[in-house]
Amino acid sequence: MKVLSILSLSLLISVSAVAQTLIPDKNEKGKWGYVNDKGDKIIDYKYDEAGYFDDGVATVKKGDNYGIINSDGKEVIAVKYNLIEPPNKNIYRVAADGKVKDGVLMDEKYGFISKDGKILLKPEFEEIGTFNDNGVAYIKKGNLYGYINRDIDIIIPCKYNAVGSYNADGFVWVAEGAKYEKNSSKFSGGKLGIFDLQGKAIVPLKYKAVGYYTPYKFNPSSKYLESLHYNHRTILKEAPDNALFAPHHITQENLSVMPAGVKGFYGSANNGATKNAVYTTSGEMLVKDGNNFSFVFYPTDGFALVKDNKSKFNFMNLNTGKLLLKKPLSDAWAFNNGLAIVSRDGNKYEIMNTDGEPVSPLYKNIFPETDGRFIVKSDASGSELLYGLIDRQGREIIPANHIYIYPPADGRIACMTHDKEAGYKDLDGNWVIKGDLKNVYSFKGGLALAKKSNGWGLLDNTGNEVVSCKWKTCKLGDFAKEGYIWVSEEEGDDAQFMLLRISDDKLVSTDKYKWVRTFGSDFDEVAIVGSNANNVGIITKEGKLIVPAEFSVDQAREAYNFLKENPGKEWGEFDTYRVKLYSNPKRNKGKLSSKLESSLWDY
Amino acid sequence: MNKFRYLLLALIAAVTFSSFAGSNDDPTRYRRISICNILVKHDNEKFADEIEKQFLKIPVSEQYNDHNLSVRVVNTDLKKMKDDDEITAFVKRNHLGSRLAGKWFNRNLLDGTCNMDLVKSRGLYDASSFDYEMAQRSARGKALLEDAGEDLIGNTYLLMHEITYVDKAKRSKTWGMIGAIALGALTAAGGGSSQQISNVMNSTNNLISSYKGFAVKVHTRLYRLKWDDETSNRFYNEFYAATPNPEIAKKFEENRDKFKLEYVGDVISKGGRTSFLGIREEEPELMIRKACQRALDENVSELQKKYDQFRIKSPVVSVSPTITVNIGLKEGVSPESKYEVLEAQEKDGKTVYKRIAVIKPVPNLIWDNRFMAQEELAYGANFGATTFTKVSGGEIIPGYLVRQIE
């Protein structure tokens, strides 16, 4: 029996909460038991390992097996488990029926036992996952999966070939009866459904395809934008969200987790998700499957936008199940606050109300609503496309004879008339800023880029020049946030930019750069600049080039991060050598049998 | 000389103990061994690319100085290494000794300039005092260099890790997968407008089933940088240039073979299975990192047990109410291990370590600081340090260094 030092004793008193302090002790034969603080044997020396008591119990080991004993030495959890993990809220995860081979535990099965020895989940599961933020964990028995919660209740029984991961809102998809193809690592066939955290089927397990709806963000692809006229592009980019709820698949190629914030679900008996049903997130079926539609969108304002197998659109009244229009539409957006943008003939668009009646005249195109206004595109002037602004009643606020109109921003509408008169109107279509304006952009944060006779500058929302309108070119940016603007005395491809401080309308320096990114694009306090995208460096707001313009954009970012980690360091030629080297993948491709090129080494 | 000795003693005392003045207030700052890790990749084996990707993410443990070079991976298609010859031949052929030495002096490959910044910083020398003594070419300055040589530069190691996947066929059979991060691509057909929908999301094809039970075998070979008097004198006299000097730069290139790495020994990890516990479903590739990092850490701690010179010294963090040191399972601490407590002392201008006491870990208070121990909810993962009890010896104060003895 060993004598314990005072230090150990005081430590143990602070660790143990039991009335009698029990301390693991090892005898001459190498067996462990427990003694009290006087050194008297309390529990026999019969264990191969003995843990300290914590909250009245201790883990012990005999041979390859673990168990839990109480302070009377009684086995609360029998010493027969391959593994007993530390308790989490008085619940132990245990493993049983495994074999130890070459020091590795194999073929074990997992389960849960409570602190008082009650089996909460019999150890018959090959795997039990980690409890996630939702408080659920997957379980796996054989080849089948299910889910449990932190109370160790089985919320989804182990009978599914595959399950997804619960998303942040507590939804998961499951598959039953699917076949796994080892070569492609995909599964096919089977039925899919969506469950909630209580294991309730929100979308019943009977579909070949399931997916979800999210609000549609009006965000046309850059490829699409490239094909458009510049003004149209910019208008499209500034358009807001629209209430069209686009479908998203949870494909069978990759087992996936849904994003948070989905609006609803769809389910289809067809692999192509056609003739789909529509469900709310609480499991209410809004539209039955097996309908006649190629696709049903998530309903808005009591109507579901539907697409038939000829790619024509209509609106189905959720209450009556009847279609709104006798003749289907060539194109349509979902209803948003009682109005929808539709095209009957594929050539012109109008705004339609929930009675199916037109509210507005016909236009070449109509853009999503902002602040109760719609930008419209008209071809009334023949081949030339012109823009206007209408309200929710279809009345023209700004006649459709403008070369461009931007969506309202900061209560101002940037526009240019057919007569090339540029300026800003209010939401009622009245001029609020005009005069010697040749070109204008939308306001953001109280500043707008505008061009007068002498050049570009920045205006505030009363039309005063915050940055003098004298520059041939300016770089667009979030000026109010950045506090700086890149300006140039040249135009077009010859433009080289200098840095100007907005607060006092002064150039920071006269150094010029052909290729610039705004402050805040990559780092708040510096910007990336150079002669082209492959020869850039880092500039501060004081105009100092702290990393030479010799790098790619990614390398420049790395170089700046290196400087941030080494404050006070001045950039040197060798630093350039190393940054380029560290981003060169060739340095890790060398052969063991060879002498590597010296240019792959940094020292 | 006495004044210099006193200064050196004060300097070393100041940086060794926890009651630091000035900028060295951190008691965990101490002289560490410097290591360089290189992966020997069997590029025709299963999961070789995944292993490489995760290996490159594993940082050098905070118990060591990061002395990595630009080359982190070398590739082989050999099924099996014939002894250690191929790897040692690579080390020699590519003059890794000279490169590790060059890094100590921040040697500029382009113009040959060197500086002592890293030596000063890792040696915890007072920078201005160090510079002064160097400039004076004093005996103390010489002693400082010798001290830096023995205790710092001479404690530089190269670890060549050969990592291969251990195919646990049984485990990889079960395919059922739990969520990857992929989201399905939007279908343009579902769009209600002629305008294209642009939200195309990328998908990944991680096979979680293969990652569960992922196991690797790691064969680590240890080399030590030879930094004896002959090597250090030659370096300072012939290859150290404070300002650009093409001749010296060229001479160094021609004499790289003078800097040697000596083979110390090797260990092979057990290839045991790492639990999937703590791995989030949306990051299954972390399983590979977990398996690799744990195996690497195991090998490093085995090497420490096997080779005295590779044993790390860690500072005592506190002594009241208990003795704690920031080492744990990752460093191979076990209930059976014992540690000596060392006081750094100056002797003839150099640092020597004197044993003050012997301590051992309290069995149930060993910190589990292995990679992802916290995510696993492993016992001891939140301790922050291991608690020790004194077995024998005198008074221990924070800042004394601790080194394993058995």
Side-chain angles (χ1 to χ4, degrees):
Chain A
M1 208 179 300
K2 292 189 193 304
V3 174
L4 295 170
S5 70
I6 292 171
L7 186 63
S8 303
L9 190 61
S10 60
L11 165 69
L12 292 165
I13 287 171
S14 71
V15 166
S16 173
V18 297
Q20 179 177 225
T21 306
L22 291 176
I23 305 154
D25 190 56
K26 192 166 151 183
N27 66 9
E28 306 76 22
K29 293 177 184 168
K31 288 292 185 184
W32 289 83
Y34 290 86
V35 299
N36 63 15
D37 47 12
K38 293 192 178 80
D40 304 322
K41 182 190 82 174
I42 305 297
I43 298 174
D44 281 342
Y45 293 88
K46 55 185 179 181
Y47 301 109
D48 295 306
E49 280 179 27
Y52 274 90
F53 272 85
D54 185 16
D55 205 19
V57 293
T59 307
V60 292
K61 187 180 180 189
K62 263 191 208 169
D64 286 333
N65 293 323
Y66 292 87
I68 304 280
I69 60 171
N70 63 16
S71 54
D72 296 326
K74 185 185 164 195
E75 287 181 13
V76 174
I77 295 177
V79 182
K80 64 173 190 177
Y81 294 99
N82 303 124
L83 210 65
I84 297 185
E85 292 172 10
N88 192 352
K89 296 181 186 178
N90 292 328
I91 296 175
Y92 294 88
R93 201 173 94 129
V94 301
D97 299 333
K99 295 179 281 289
V100 177
K101 196 180 170 190
D102 296 329
V104 179
L105 182 62
M106 312 259 297
D107 301 328
E108 74 280 17
K109 305 278 193 305
Y110 289 91
F112 288 96
I113 299 182
S114 70
K115 195 179 159 190
D116 53 10
K118 183 179 167 194
I119 296 180
L120 301 174
L121 189 73
K122 209 170 154 201
E124 49 189 21
F125 298 90
E126 277 85 348
E127 292 174 20
I128 299 181
T130 315
F131 285 99
N132 64 12
D133 294 339
N134 288 326
V136 293
Y138 77 88
I139 48 176
K140 182 174 158 231
K141 196 190 221 178
N143 282 339
L144 299 175
Y145 287 82
Y147 267 93
I148 55 172
N149 61 19
R150 280 201 188 274
D151 294 326
I152 320 299
D153 297 321
I154 295 180
I155 52 173
I156 298 178
C158 255
K159 51 183 215 177
Y160 301 105
N161 303 98
V163 294
S165 282
Y166 271 93
N167 74 353
D169 298 326
F171 297 110
V172 70
W173 65 265
V174 299
E176 184 176 48
K179 284 189 173 37
Y180 177 69
E181 289 155 35
K182 202 174 176 181
N183 292 338
S184 58
S185 306
K186 298 176 188 179
F187 70 88
S188 61
K191 303 286 183 196
L192 299 172
I194 292 176
F195 284 41
D196 67 8
L197 283 171
Q198 284 68 48
K200 176 187 164 193
I202 300 299
V203 174
L205 203 76
K206 62 174 192 173
Y207 293 112
K208 276 194 176 169
V210 296
Y212 53 91
Y213 295 98
T214 56
Y216 181 68
K217 279 204 170 296
F218 191 76
N219 186 20
S221 68
S222 53
K223 188 178 166 189
Y224 178 65
L225 288 179
E226 274 162 20
S227 65
L228 299 179
H229 183 271
Y230 177 73
N231 288 333
H232 190 176
R233 257 200 331 257
T234 316
I235 291 168
L236 290 183
K237 282 186 83 167
E238 292 195 12
D241 295 353
N242 185 274
L244 173 64
F245 289 167
H248 295 245
H249 291 322
I250 308 172
T251 71
Q252 294 185 354
E253 291 184 354
N254 294 294
L255 302 179
S256 53
V257 56
M258 285 173 270
V262 300
K263 293 299 179 185
F265 303 108
Y266 67 84
S268 166
N270 306 312
N271 286 328
T274 52
K275 301 181 190 293
N276 60 293
V278 179
Y279 293 86
T280 65
T281 52
S282 53
E284 182 192 349
M285 187 170 70
L286 298 177
V287 178
K288 276 189 198 171
D289 60 304
N291 51 59
N292 292 326
F293 306 113
S294 172
F295 202 81
V296 181
F297 289 83
Y298 198 79
T300 52
D301 296 347
F303 287 87
L305 178 66
V306 297
K307 189 170 168 184
D308 65 23
N309 52 15
K310 291 179 184 165
S311 293
K312 297 287 184 192
F313 294 88
N314 209 325
F315 293 92
M316 184 176 75
N317 185 312
L318 279 187
N319 285 333
T320 63
K322 289 194 160 73
L323 291 175
L324 180 64
L325 304 168
K326 283 198 181 121
K327 191 177 171 200
L329 303 160
S330 284
D331 197 7
W333 293 81
F335 277 105
N336 181 22
N337 291 331
L339 297 176
I341 300 169
V342 303
S343 172
R344 297 183 197 263
D345 61 0
N347 192 31
K348 296 277 178 76
Y349 285 80
E350 66 191 39
I351 295 175
M352 184 183 79
N353 63 19
T354 50
D355 292 324
E357 293 159 353
V359 163
S360 75
L362 290 167
Y363 293 98
K364 189 67 185 162
N365 209 340
I366 301 178
F367 295 97
E369 182 183 346
T370 313
D371 291 346
R373 303 287 184 263
F374 297 84
I375 294 176
V376 296
K377 192 160 78 171
S378 164
D379 61 356
S381 298
S383 58
E384 191 182 2
L385 292 170
L386 295 169
Y387 298 88
L389 195 76
I390 61 174
D391 66 7
R392 289 176 57 84
Q393 286 71 46
R395 292 180 299 229
E396 256 190 6
I397 303 297
I398 296 176
N401 59 5
H402 283 57
I403 292 173
Y404 61 77
I405 292 181
Y406 285 84
D410 289 0
R412 300 278 181 266
I413 299 166
C415 58
M416 176 186 277
T417 69
H418 189 249
D419 302 322
K420 303 265 174 79
E421 195 177 9
Y424 297 86
K425 294 186 177 180
D426 65 14
L427 289 174
D428 295 321
N430 302 314
W431 285 108
V432 289
I433 302 173
K434 64 187 264 190
D436 177 34
L437 284 169
K438 306 297 176 198
N439 208 345
V440 289
Y441 283 96
S442 285
F443 273 92
K444 191 169 183 183
L447 294 174
L449 188 62
K451 186 180 182 185
K452 291 189 174 177
S453 303
N454 292 334
W456 292 90
L458 288 179
L459 305 181
D460 67 16
N461 62 7
T462 60
N464 292 328
E465 290 180 31
V466 172
V467 168
S468 305
C469 289
K470 63 181 189 184
W471 302 101
K472 290 279 188 286
T473 315
C474 290
K475 198 98 171 116
L476 275 174
D478 191 345
F479 311 113
K481 189 179 164 203
E482 294 156 28
Y484 291 80
I485 180 172
W486 289 103
V487 297
S488 173
E489 292 164 331
E490 300 98 11
E491 278 180 290
D493 290 342
D494 295 330
Q496 297 212 62
F497 296 91
M498 297 178 286
L499 187 61
L500 184 138
R501 189 170 42 241
I502 294 172
S503 59
D504 57 4
D505 193 13
K506 282 191 169 21
L507 285 173
V508 171
S509 93
T510 51
D511 291 336
K512 293 185 178 183
Y513 303 97
K514 207 160 163 60
W515 192 99
V516 299
R517 285 167 73 94
T518 54
F519 289 91
S521 303
D522 306 279
F523 307 99
D524 283 338
E525 59 281 12
V526 297
I528 298 179
V529 300
S531 52
N532 56 58
N534 293 320
N535 288 285
V536 298
I538 301 284
I539 193 169
T540 65
K541 286 180 176 174
E542 290 75 38
K544 188 178 172 195
L545 200 65
I546 55 173
V547 171
E550 298 172 12
F551 300 102
S552 67
V553 172
D554 283 342
Q555 287 172 341
R557 289 194 188 110
E558 261 186 56
Y560 181 61
N561 283 328
F562 172 73
L563 283 182
K564 281 206 292 187
E565 288 162 13
N566 294 275
K569 188 182 180 349
E570 295 273 333
W571 194 262
E573 190 188 349
F574 193 41
D575 298 313
T576 299
Y577 170 87
R578 278 196 288 203
V579 166
K580 291 195 173 181
L581 174 59
Y582 293 148
S583 59
N584 181 359
K586 273 182 74 177
R587 64 192 167 95
N588 289 326
K589 299 291 180 208
K591 289 285 183 202
L592 186 69
S593 53
S594 64
K595 183 173 179 178
L596 306 188
E597 294 166 30
S598 52
S599 60
L600 296 178
W601 296 100
D602 50 353
Y603 288 102
Chain B
M1 184 68 81
N2 282 340
K3 176 185 161 190
F4 292 147
R5 279 182 174 232
Y6 170 77
L7 280 173
L8 179 57
L9 182 63
L11 170 69
I12 290 170
V15 301
T16 310
F17 301 143
S18 67
S19 54
F20 290 163
S23 60
N24 287 343
D25 287 335
D26 182 359
T28 63
R29 287 197 69 211
Y30 57 95
R31 287 183 171 182
R32 297 171 168 84
I33 289 173
S34 302
I35 61 172
C36 170
N37 291 304
I38 295 181
L39 169 68
V40 178
K41 176 186 173 189
H42 288 257
D43 51 16
N44 52 358
E45 299 248 339
K46 205 173 174 189
F47 289 112
D49 290 339
E50 288 87 346
I51 289 171
E52 177 187 348
K53 188 176 164 193
Q54 296 305 318
F55 175 83
L56 291 173
K57 289 182 185 175
I58 297 174
V60 170
S61 163
E62 60 272 8
Q63 306 280 352
Y64 299 94
N65 291 319
D66 181 342
H67 214 73
N68 281 331
L69 298 171
S70 51
V71 173
R72 303 290 325 281
V73 181
V74 287
N75 302 270
T76 180
D77 48 16
L78 285 175
K79 282 285 179 195
K80 197 177 174 336
M81 291 294 152
K82 292 172 238 173
D83 304 319
D84 303 310
D85 286 352
E86 286 88 359
I87 293 180
T88 300
F90 171 85
V91 169
K92 201 172 163 185
R93 192 186 308 123
N94 287 277
H95 307 304
L96 292 197
S98 68
R99 303 191 192 277
L100 295 177
K103 181 160 179 158
W104 269 108
F105 301 96
N106 205 13
R107 190 176 169 277
N108 185 321
L109 260 189
L110 305 179
D111 62 20
T113 49
C114 302
N115 61 51
M116 301 291 277
D117 290 353
L118 194 61
V119 172
K120 282 187 269 186
S121 144
R122 286 186 185 172
L124 307 176
Y125 298 109
D126 176 78
S128 53
S129 167
F130 189 99
D131 289 342
Y132 174 79
E133 297 301 338
M134 289 304 122
Q136 298 299 309
R137 288 178 167 69
S138 62
R140 178 169 176 269
K142 183 168 178 286
L144 285 175
L145 283 183
E146 284 171 0
D147 176 62
E150 284 174 27
D151 206 32
L152 278 180
I153 304 171
N155 270 331
T156 305
Y157 291 85
L158 167 68
L159 291 90
M160 301 290 290
H161 304 284
E162 203 187 334
I163 305 180
T164 45
Y165 169 66
V166 176
D167 197 346
K168 302 282 187 195
K170 214 180 227 183
R171 269 181 282 274
S172 62
K173 240 192 229 175
T174 54
W175 60 268
M177 303 193 223
I178 304 299
I181 55 173
L183 290 168
L186 278 181
T187 170
S193 163
S194 56
Q195 287 142 357
Q196 287 177 345
I197 299 164
S198 69
N199 296 338
V200 175
M201 288 162 271
N202 293 320
S203 59
T204 61
N205 283 309
N206 292 318
L207 293 177
I208 300 176
S209 64
S210 298
Y211 292 170
K212 286 198 176 70
F214 193 91
V216 292
K217 190 171 107 171
V218 184
H219 186 171
T220 301
R221 294 161 178 86
L222 181 69
Y223 300 81
R224 185 177 189 176
L225 179 64
K226 186 177 173 190
W227 194 259
D228 53 17
D229 286 346
E230 186 191 339
T231 312
S232 71
N233 286 337
R234 171 179 260 142
F235 180 84
Y236 291 128
N237 292 327
E238 295 178 40
F239 305 124
Y240 188 102
T243 53
N245 190 320
E247 268 184 42
I248 288 183
K250 186 173 173 230
K251 200 171 174 192
F252 183 84
E253 292 301 323
E254 291 164 354
N255 285 277
R256 282 188 176 274
D257 58 346
K258 301 293 185 291
F259 299 91
K260 306 219 187 279
L261 275 162
E262 293 170 330
Y263 179 73
V264 177
D266 70 331
V267 288
I268 302 176
S269 69
K270 295 190 195 76
R273 193 180 72 148
T274 306
S275 156
F276 200 71
L277 270 183
I279 305 293
R280 289 161 57 86
E281 288 93 353
E282 53 269 31
E283 287 183 289
E285 67 277 4
L286 260 185
M287 184 65 209
I288 299 179
R289 177 161 168 193
K290 192 179 177 188
C292 288
Q293 189 157 342
R294 290 236 176 146
L296 288 180
D297 288 341
E298 258 176 48
N299 276 15
V300 167
S301 74
E302 282 305 307
L303 283 168
Q304 288 182 39
K305 286 176 190 160
K306 223 170 149 179
Y307 305 107
D308 286 353
Q309 69 267 44
F310 191 57
R311 286 190 187 168
I312 55 164
K313 297 187 281 291
S314 307
V316 174
V317 175
S318 70
V319 294
S320 177
T322 53
I323 303 170
T324 59
V325 184
N326 286 351
I327 52 175
L329 290 183
K330 191 170 87 170
E331 288 76 30
V333 176
S334 70
E336 289 75 40
S337 44
K338 279 209 178 105
Y339 292 77
E340 54 183 352
V341 181
L342 305 167
E343 180 190 8
Q345 295 179 341
E346 179 269 339
K347 191 178 177 186
D348 298 327
K350 296 181 192 170
T351 313
V352 294
Y353 297 94
K354 182 189 166 194
R355 180 185 287 195
I356 298 298
V358 172
I359 58 176
K360 65 175 186 176
V362 176
N364 233 28
L365 293 175
I366 297 174
W367 180 27
D368 188 347
N369 59 343
R370 294 171 301 164
F371 180 64
M372 296 196 75
Q374 291 213 328
E375 288 84 347
E376 268 188 6
L377 299 177
Y379 178 76
N382 58 350
F383 285 172
T386 294
T387 303
F388 289 79
T389 58
K390 193 161 68 175
V391 174
S392 64
E395 189 190 357
I396 301 170
I397 62 176
Y400 278 178
L401 297 171
V402 158
R403 182 171 60 186
Q404 190 169 6
I405 47 177
E406 59 181 79

